[in-house]
Amino acid sequence: MTPELRGLADELTSVIDDVAAAFGPADRTLDGELDCDPTTPGHLLCWQYGVRVEHPAEPETRLTSLLPALHGDGWQSQDRSTPAEHITRFTRDGADFTIHVARAVTIIGSTRPVPA
């Protein structure tokens, strides 16, 4: 992993772990690099990280309480919810992560592309 990607990975891991802690105990679901440009393999890498929280208590209330701090840290949010699930995408400086609240689970994940 390049030093640039390692730094971004460390930062996003910290943000996602902090957000997940607001929902409850989390299990890591992904953590690693992938080649994210199929047209020119090896030229653009992404790092992915995700956690899963089973049966979170009051997920919408917890998300609402996190918004001021995330916005204060420069994260912009976009609501992509549907009637069946709550989805909020956060972006900052080309990095992003998503909070996806479904019936019995909350999934929080991120990816960030960088030149290889």
Side-chain angles (χ1 to χ4, degrees), residues 23 59-60 63 67 76-90 96-103 105-109:
F23 290 92
E60 289 84 4
L63 175 59
L67 289 176
Q76 296 179 339
S77 62
Q78 180 180 19
D79 187 352
R80 295 184 166 184
S81 300
T82 69
E85 56 197 1
H86 184 91
I87 303 167
T88 302
R89 180 175 183 217
F90 294 88
D96 67 70
F97 73 93
T98 302
I99 299 175
H100 181 178
V101 179
R103 290 178 190 223
V105 66
T106 294
I107 299 170
I108 305 161

Side-chain angles (χ1 to χ4, degrees), residues 14 29 44 48 55 64 66-67 99 106 109:
S14 178
T29 57
L44 188 63
Q48 296 184 112
H55 305 289
T64 301
L66 292 170
L67 289 176
I99 299 175
T106 294

Side-chain angles (χ1 to χ4, degrees):
M1 183 180 292
T2 66
E4 178 187 13
L5 189 56
R6 177 78 269 155
L8 293 169
D10 290 345
E11 178 185 357
L12 285 169
T13 298
S14 178
V15 169
I16 291 168
D17 286 346
D18 289 348
V19 167
F23 290 92
D27 295 316
R28 185 178 345 179
T29 57
L30 357 134
D31 185 3
E33 294 179 47
L34 80 134
D35 195 340
C36 60
D37 185 357
T39 61
T40 54
H43 287 46
L44 188 63
L45 296 176
C46 292
W47 169 81
Q48 296 184 112
Y49 181 74
V51 296
R52 178 183 177 110
V53 181
E54 295 289 338
H55 305 289
E58 303 174 344
E60 289 84 4
T61 301
R62 292 178 190 273
L63 175 59
T64 301
S65 70
L66 292 170
L67 289 176
L70 289 167
H71 290 157
D73 286 341
W75 291 96
Q76 296 179 339
S77 62
Q78 180 180 19
D79 187 352
R80 295 184 166 184
S81 300
T82 69
E85 56 197 1
H86 184 91
I87 303 167
T88 302
R89 180 175 183 217
F90 294 88
T91 58
R92 183 181 77 188
D93 301 327
D96 67 70
F97 73 93
T98 302
I99 299 175
H100 181 178
V101 179
R103 290 178 190 223
V105 66
T106 294
I107 299 170
I108 305 161
S110 176
T111 185
R112 167 75 189 256
V114 296

